[in-house]
Amino acid sequence: GFRHVFVFFDEPDDPAMAITARFPASRVSTHVRGAALEERWAHQSLFGKFGPWRESEVMARQMLNVQVAIEELRGAAISGGIH
């Protein structure tokens, strides 16, 4: 199993958010695209490469989201990560 799951949503009204809300924050980190996430993306090392494409390309957002998740993994001392 997994100790922790990171879920990133592009849309704030995504119905799957109701599912992630059922789990404690200690097990699931939920991020919704908006000003706060955009700010975090702007500080990632890959932002220069993928930032310009974040509006039109899902893969660009995924790359930036992975970096945010890795940052959180390091901060929480959670070992391992899968994308």
Side-chain angles (χ1 to χ4, degrees):
F2 296 96
R3 285 183 57 201
H4 197 91
V5 177
F6 296 87
V7 184
F8 291 82
F9 293 100
D10 271 343
E11 302 297 330
D13 59 349
D14 190 312
M17 288 181 65
I19 296 169
T20 61
R22 296 182 203 161
F23 296 91
S26 62
R27 303 285 294 169
V28 177
S29 291
T30 302
H31 297 277
V32 181
R33 187 174 178 199
L37 186 56
E38 290 268 350
E39 178 67 22
R40 291 191 66 188
W41 287 345
H43 296 285
Q44 303 305 318
S45 64
L46 293 176
F47 188 78
K49 182 175 183 176
F50 293 105
W53 300 101
R54 69 190 184 280
E55 292 298 324
S56 61
E57 299 295 329
V58 171
M59 182 60 110
R61 294 190 297 278
Q62 288 176 336
M63 293 299 291
L64 295 168
N65 289 340
V66 165
Q67 282 202 297
V68 168
I70 290 170
E71 183 178 78
E72 289 188 10
L73 281 168
R74 288 181 180 148
I78 300 170
S79 62
I82 298 175
H83 176 259

